[in-house]
Amino acid sequence: MITCEEAKIEDRDWMAALKKSVKMLHFGGWEEKEAAAREMKRLAAEDVNRRRTMAEFGVIPPLVAMVGSEVAAAHQRLAVQVLIELANASFTNKALMVEEGILSKLPKNLSLLEETDKREFAELLLSISGLANTQFPLNSSRIIPTVVCILESNPSLKTKHLCLSTLHNLSSVLDNAPALISTGIVTSLTKLASVKETSEKSLATLGNLVVTSDGRKALEQNPTVPEGLIEIMTWEEKPKCQELSAYILMVLAHQSSLQRQKMAKAGIVQVLLEVALLGSPLAQKRALKLLQWFKDERQTRMGPHSGPLQVGRVSMGSPLSEEDAEQGKRMMTKIVKQSLHKNMETITRRANGAAGDASKLKALVVSTSSKSLPY
């Protein structure tokens, strides 16, 4: 255990090392700047409070300048690494970086960089994108093209996740939707959504974009919609992906009778039945809501602006009302009685990993048909 006196000595040594590095960073040649950056990387990794102290000593402006320097890639790389450490858990440091023009110092074509450099720039941009949901005036139009450029350069899975997290942060602010959609990112996100390793983050961003008119239009025009989203709803091992896919389908179905027709032709009802029986609680609720709409579609023709929802935006996490829940249960019981007999074998096999024998299947059908479904 460190004594009080030892802690004081450690703090004094740390401060002396910082002051020396700051002096070298401001006034030294490129070799001295590089040595100072290496030392700062070590110092910044130790403690959040110390990162704030480093910023107070004015280290961020010269580090930002190093990022924009074309003298040597090694200097740029080191500066980015130090800034990543300084941005960690510090709103003030992130804001200082943006104010010093870090977004204008980024390389013009990050797709040409080595994978390690791509990942580090993506990590720094993810950290800065956290400012999007604050009062800080972040100009996301400078971040978006850079992140999209990295994402579409076929980077490593880790770098893809960093880019997708950044896009999700930015998409949570609706004012950023036009800039995001104008890059054609919806096409990239739908492709990544079809890959299980990147699906959840992609769907989360699409869920933010689909509530805007431009985002909805881009999804409706995508050739993989709604078939791709319906396929994702069959991923029982990915319940979050099922929930997000169901949410996007709800928004599309509410806004467009044409989309409802396309969904019906793509076999969505059967998939919704399975999710309503075997999905997570939230996925079940969304599946039941969609099934209710398709039942109504059969009974009465809905006009293009008379969808079941009467609000502009479907909440991604809000539960149904008790009335909706009861109505969904009654409707599901009726549908199950009509169609579950011929489809239960498939559903049971997916749920249990193997097909049951005929007697078990019959018992399950009778039991499910005679009871209210869990909701």
Side-chain angles (χ1 to χ4, degrees):
M1 186 156 182
I2 300 177
T3 64
C4 228
E5 186 61 31
E6 289 172 335
K8 288 180 180 179
I9 293 172
E10 182 181 333
D11 286 342
R12 189 165 59 245
D13 291 345
W14 183 88
M15 186 60 72
L18 174 60
K19 289 180 178 179
K20 180 181 178 182
S21 297
V22 169
K23 184 177 179 180
M24 292 168 62
L25 188 65
H26 278 282
F27 306 110
W30 280 111
E31 289 186 4
E32 290 177 305
K33 289 180 186 293
E34 183 176 343
R38 290 185 187 281
E39 179 65 4
M40 286 184 178
K41 181 182 175 184
R42 182 185 70 81
L43 297 173
E46 296 177 358
D47 182 79
V48 174
N49 291 327
R50 288 181 172 180
R51 291 177 203 136
R52 294 173 184 148
T53 301
M54 292 174 69
E56 290 170 0
F57 271 78
V59 304
I60 289 179
L63 287 170
V64 169
M66 284 180 68
V67 173
S69 170
E70 298 181 357
V71 175
H75 299 149
Q76 185 183 68
R77 188 178 302 115
L78 264 175
V80 170
Q81 291 169 356
V82 180
L83 289 173
I84 289 171
E85 294 291 348
L86 290 173
N88 187 13
S90 175
F91 167 87
T92 302
N93 288 359
K94 295 173 191 176
L96 283 172
M97 292 174 200
V98 175
E99 289 174 350
E100 289 298 323
I102 183 63
L103 300 179
S104 64
K105 305 289 185 182
L106 300 174
K108 300 301 181 184
N109 194 349
L110 286 169
S111 64
L112 300 178
L113 298 179
E114 295 180 3
E115 176 57 36
T116 301
D117 296 328
K118 290 181 189 177
R119 186 181 68 249
E120 289 173 348
F121 274 110
E123 188 174 353
L124 179 59
L125 289 172
L126 171 58
S127 187
I128 292 172
S129 73
L131 296 171
N133 286 307
T134 70
Q135 296 298 315
F136 184 83
L138 179 66
N139 184 3
S140 59
S141 64
R142 289 183 176 272
I143 301 179
I144 292 169
T146 304
V147 176
V148 172
C149 178
I150 298 174
L151 184 62
E152 294 182 345
S153 67
N154 195 29
S156 67
L157 182 59
K158 183 175 181 179
T159 303
K160 286 179 182 176
H161 281 171
L162 291 169
C163 291
L164 289 170
S165 295
T166 301
L167 292 174
H168 182 252
N169 283 347
L170 298 175
S171 69
S172 62
V173 179
L174 292 184
D175 288 345
N176 291 331
L180 283 163
I181 295 164
S182 67
T183 65
I185 192 61
V186 168
T187 300
S188 297
L189 290 174
T190 52
K191 289 179 181 178
L192 291 167
S194 66
V195 179
K196 293 183 178 180
E197 290 79 7
T198 53
S199 185
E200 184 175 329
K201 292 179 184 291
S202 302
L203 289 169
T205 302
L206 288 172
N208 286 338
L209 296 176
V210 73
V211 298
T212 68
S213 59
D214 289 341
R216 187 169 60 252
K217 187 181 297 183
L219 271 166
E220 288 175 347
Q221 294 173 349
N222 189 283
T224 67
V225 175
E227 290 81 2
L229 294 170
I230 295 172
E231 173 64 25
I232 291 169
M233 289 188 66
T234 67
W235 296 354
E236 294 157 17
E237 73 281 14
K238 294 282 187 178
K240 187 65 176 178
C241 293
Q242 285 184 318
E243 294 166 4
L244 291 167
S245 183
Y247 170 75
I248 296 169
L249 288 166
M250 284 177 73
V251 177
L252 294 174
H254 166 229
Q255 297 290 344
S256 170
S257 60
L258 176 61
Q259 286 299 313
R260 293 193 291 273
Q261 293 170 15
K262 289 174 67 176
M263 291 176 196
K265 289 180 180 178
I268 192 173
V269 172
Q270 174 58 34
V271 175
L272 290 173
L273 276 169
E274 296 180 22
V275 174
L277 288 169
L278 305 172
S280 68
L282 182 55
Q284 286 180 345
K285 290 175 182 178
R286 290 175 175 170
L288 284 170
K289 190 67 175 177
L290 279 162
L291 282 167
Q292 179 64 59
W293 295 356
F294 284 104
K295 178 188 175 187
D296 294 343
E297 186 88 30
R298 288 194 300 270
Q299 292 177 346
T300 59
R301 285 187 173 276
M302 291 187 292
H305 301 293
S306 60
L309 282 179
Q310 299 303 319
V311 293
R313 180 170 183 172
V314 184
S315 172
M316 290 184 74
S318 62
L320 298 177
S321 66
E322 290 184 10
E323 182 180 352
D324 286 338
E326 288 303 319
Q327 187 178 14
K329 289 179 186 179
R330 291 194 298 271
M331 180 271 300
M332 272 302 297
T333 300
K334 183 177 179 181
I335 293 177
V336 168
K337 286 179 179 178
Q338 294 174 347
S339 64
L340 193 56
H341 287 274
K342 70 175 182 178
N343 297 313
M344 186 56 76
E345 186 174 356
T346 301
I347 298 171
T348 305
R349 184 169 60 254
R350 290 187 176 180
N352 301 325
D357 56 45
S359 61
K360 289 182 180 179
L361 183 58
K362 182 177 180 182
L364 180 58
V365 172
V366 173
S367 173
T368 308
S369 301
S370 61
K371 297 180 181 179
S372 294
L373 293 175
Y375 198 55

